Amino acid sequence: MSQADLISPLRFLTRLPQHLPRVPRMLRGLYYAGIRNREKQLSLAWALERAALLHGERPALLDETRRLTYNQFNAWANRLAWAFKAEGVRRGSVVAVILENRLELLAILAALSKLGAVGALVNTSQRGKVLAHSLNLVKPGCIVVGSELLNAFDDVAALLDKPDTPRHWIADQDCLQDTGNAPAGWGNLMQLARNQASENLPDSARVQMKDPCFLIYTSGTTGLPKASIMSHGKWIKAYGGFGHSGLTLNNQDLLYLTLPCYHNNAVTVCWSAALAGGAAIALRRKFSASAFWPDVQRYQATCFGYIGELCRYLLNQPECAAERNNSLRCMIGNGLRPSIWSEFKARFGIEQITEFYASSEGNIGFTNVFNFDNTVGFTPATYAIVRYDLDNDQAIRGKKGFLQKAKKGEPGLLICEISAKWPFDGYTDPAKSEAAILRNVFKQGDAWFNTGDLMRDIGCKHAQFVDRLGDTFRWKGENVSTTEVENVLGALPGVEDAVVYGVEIPGTNGRCGMAALRLSEGTQLNTHALAAHLEAELPEYAVPVFIRLISEVETTGTFKYKKADLKQTAYNPSAVAEALWVRLPGDKHFTALDHTLFSAINQQAYRF
């Protein structure tokens, strides 16, 4: 950490005058972020209907071929809501939604919010048993699938606990005018909605902040995905914090969105920021570094949603004419590393970087409201950064049994007090929710949410992200569960033990996967079979980049793998006596890793 990153009271006060014009919006944002009454009738549906009332003829959603005003989008969502209601969807109903980024997805989620129903946002890269688990976990009363993912669903249909769950199909075409025929056994949701009423539903006014809005899947230490509850209250806090206090977009702005809509970064952070000011969203199916600047130019986008990896991809692209004098003035997201922060801001002329920190299941969020560099920003929440013993993987308690706060600038575990103002909605599984709570932290009877992340306090209620703890690491903008990957590797014949952990590659964000394998006696590793097995069983981002062999596995007294030494030696041939392999970018196979290739990777000759 640079000393320049520390924020003194004087430095903070000198920054305030430039933000004076934003004060009314910022105060409104603090109001929404601080609401304690969870029975208050505020929701995503309320925010959309308010935006339609205030900005009805302004653009709301765009893609390559379509442009919808707020009035048109709200009416479409209403027709879908009436159709869902006719099909028996009610407040609290869970509807699994499996669609890639397209306007239909946001319309469906808006429709469900109007009923107080819950959209379970399935990760579109999931396949096989993981996909079946995600669907069975939330026990949906209805499933909506896009035609682009119909094959993936069909592959797991026989594994569903309730194979007779009503299913609706969405054609991969202009569904506002859809006349396509649904496959046998499926209903065409857009056809059902076509003749429904366009007026707001009375149900919308009854949705409360305590009601679930989305179920967001997150990888955890137990291996398979967990479903965290995103309440309307947390969505409204984002609407206040990111929309009004953070970005302060208005109805002349357009936010370019390429992040997957099964992530909260897209459906909560970016969407709430747009709705708060009546801004438009231009939605793209998948991120493309080469198409990014032409798209920004075509839409005249003023803002975009990012993750750190996306920013690195853009920096690695050769300069192009479209990036010069571009229309972007701000961006919102997380994971922009200090090592590229200034370079990115300078090259592309970005005035405002609204970096934030939050988690789908947590009760705390930071937002870079005051536009300082190299920080996740400010939070009004009651939080603490406490000392953490990395070797024993636990927070340090003093003689009286209470946790100890870290000093300013010292890395520690971020925790947030659980209270009426900052509730913890947790997971669908109560046992997993309880496991995320620290009790008797600073006094008997108190309860704090354990974020599992290392942060450092840099002053004036601002923080800087340091690292993630536990058995989850982040790669390609996704959380990867080491246990899930270990289970997949353990199913390969000849593999006795598989230890998976994250390692850093120079010039990249996050950590990629590395696996240390102990083979059965007499077994030779078939790297081609290994690569094929991993590709069939795991999403692309979860496939380990590096493989090594080990003769024995160290475990703790509770039989947990000891990974510290493995992480330290990583994939360095000088530190690892056993064989090493690497899966180079674009390859579907593993290549033997020697000193020459190791040097090339360290010199960033490959773009992982």
Side-chain angles (χ1 to χ4, degrees), residues 16-17 33 61 70 100 107 124 127 157 173 177 220 272 286 333 362 389 404 434 443 456 459 494 505 512 538 580:
L16 289 181
L61 290 180
Y70 269 101
E100 290 183 349
T124 56
R127 297 292 185 271
Q173 54 181 289
Q177 304 295 327
S272 70
K286 294 180 180 178
D389 183 345
Q404 303 173 340
E434 181 60 32
K443 61 183 180 181
R456 57 167 61 93
I505 300 176
C512 71
L538 290 171
L580 287 164

Side-chain angles (χ1 to χ4, degrees), residues 370-568:
F370 300 104
N371 200 25
F372 286 103
D373 290 339
N374 302 328
T375 175
V376 297
F378 164 89
T379 182
T382 305
Y383 76 95
I385 296 174
V386 297
R387 288 180 170 165
Y388 196 84
D389 183 345
L390 288 171
D391 292 333
N392 293 303
D393 197 22
Q394 62 183 8
I396 299 171
R397 291 187 180 265
K399 293 180 179 179
K400 294 183 178 180
F402 300 125
L403 300 191
Q404 303 173 340
K405 292 185 178 180
K407 295 179 181 178
K408 185 176 179 180
E410 177 188 356
L413 173 67
L414 174 69
I415 60 176
C416 183
E417 188 173 24
I418 299 171
S419 64
K421 190 173 182 179
W422 306 104
F424 172 52
D425 294 312
Y427 303 99
T428 53
D429 183 341
K432 289 182 171 57
S433 297
E434 181 60 32
I437 299 174
L438 291 171
R439 299 190 182 278
N440 304 321
V441 171
F442 297 118
K443 61 183 180 181
Q444 289 295 326
D446 64 356
W448 295 65
F449 170 66
N450 179 359
T451 67
D453 288 325
L454 289 175
M455 305 277 271
R456 57 167 61 93
D457 179 8
I458 59 174
C460 297
K461 294 208 78 174
H462 282 67
Q464 192 175 76
F465 182 81
V466 177
D467 207 350
R468 293 181 183 276
L469 294 169
D471 282 337
T472 299
F473 58 89
R474 196 163 179 83
W475 181 242
K476 302 296 183 185
E478 302 279 358
N479 289 337
V480 181
S481 163
T482 59
T483 309
E484 178 186 339
V485 182
E486 285 164 356
N487 289 340
V488 169
L489 285 165
L492 189 69
V495 175
E496 290 290 326
D497 283 295
V499 187
V500 177
Y501 43 98
V503 296
E504 290 186 291
I505 300 176
T508 66
N509 286 329
R511 285 172 165 76
C512 71
M514 182 167 182
L517 305 179
R518 184 175 72 87
L519 303 180
S520 305
E521 187 174 349
T523 300
Q524 297 291 318
L525 183 64
N526 183 332
T527 56
H528 292 284
L530 172 65
H533 175 71
L534 291 170
E535 185 177 2
E537 295 295 329
L538 290 171
E540 178 70 16
Y541 62 82
V543 175
V545 174
F546 297 99
I547 301 290
R548 67 173 285 188
L549 297 180
I550 50 177
S551 56
E552 59 181 25
V553 176
E554 282 191 275
T555 60
T556 67
T558 54
F559 304 103
K560 292 181 180 178
Y561 291 134
K562 290 185 177 181
K563 302 182 181 182
D565 290 342
L566 295 173
K567 291 178 181 179
Q568 186 174 359

Side-chain angles (χ1 to χ4, degrees), residues 17-69:
Q18 64 186 272
H19 295 285
L20 286 177
R22 300 172 55 221
V23 166
R25 286 284 299 275
M26 293 171 73
L27 292 176
R28 189 184 309 170
L30 286 173
Y31 162 73
Y32 287 122
I35 295 173
R36 297 189 184 205
N37 180 10
R38 303 195 76 208
E39 295 184 352
K40 197 170 182 67
Q41 293 167 335
L42 293 176
S43 63
L44 189 162
W46 167 85
L48 173 58
E49 291 172 8
R50 180 178 185 274
L53 183 66
L54 296 176
H55 314 286
E57 296 308 313
R58 294 298 302 165
L61 290 180
L62 301 84
D63 64 10
E64 292 86 347
T65 60
R66 293 176 288 180
R67 179 187 179 96
L68 297 177
T69 66

